[in-house]
Amino acid sequence: AATAEADDAGAGAGGAAPSLPGGFFDNPQEDPSNRGREVAATNKEQQLREEMDEFNKLVRADIETAKANDAEEIEEEADLSQLQALQEQVQLSKRVDGLHDMRQKALVVAARVAQEVAATKAERAAAAADDGDPGAAPSAAREEEEEEDDDDEDDGGLSSLDWRARGFA
């Protein structure tokens, strides 16, 4: 009998005891393989913790994948907005170039009109001088002065509102 107890004690100390009854270490806190680890009070609680840890690992992988996808989408959106900004810049540059062209055309037309007006005035002055009418040339000059005066007077009635122009100062 002493040898049987010694065998049981030796087998229990070795950890792999076939002679131990099933469920002997139902309390995971007393199980020698769990020494130094945080374990649950019961096997069922330990099983739930292990399943939760496994679930968290799976979820962590999915979360990392989702974060990578979000980062990729953010990068694509940034690229798209940058592309749209460049397209808008090109469009505005074309518009500015078109406005510059219109300005140049308007300047050319204005210069041409100014030349035609100057030529017309010169022709009138020459025609008046050819007619031999000595008073015709000064009348052309008077007409120009009157036109300038008319331009000055055409202020939309604002000169009557200007107290400085009335001489009250």
Side-chain angles (χ1 to χ4, degrees), residues 121 138-154:
K121 287 182 181 180
S139 68
R142 269 189 256 124
E143 286 179 15
E144 286 181 30
E145 288 178 13
E146 288 176 8
E147 286 178 14
E148 289 176 10
D149 290 341
D150 288 343
D151 291 342
D152 292 341
E153 292 174 4
D154 188 25

Side-chain angles (χ1 to χ4, degrees), residues 87-97:
Q87 288 174 345
E88 184 178 351
Q89 180 110 19
V90 167
Q91 208 173 30
L92 292 175
S93 294
K94 287 180 182 179
R95 185 174 178 199
V96 166
D97 291 342

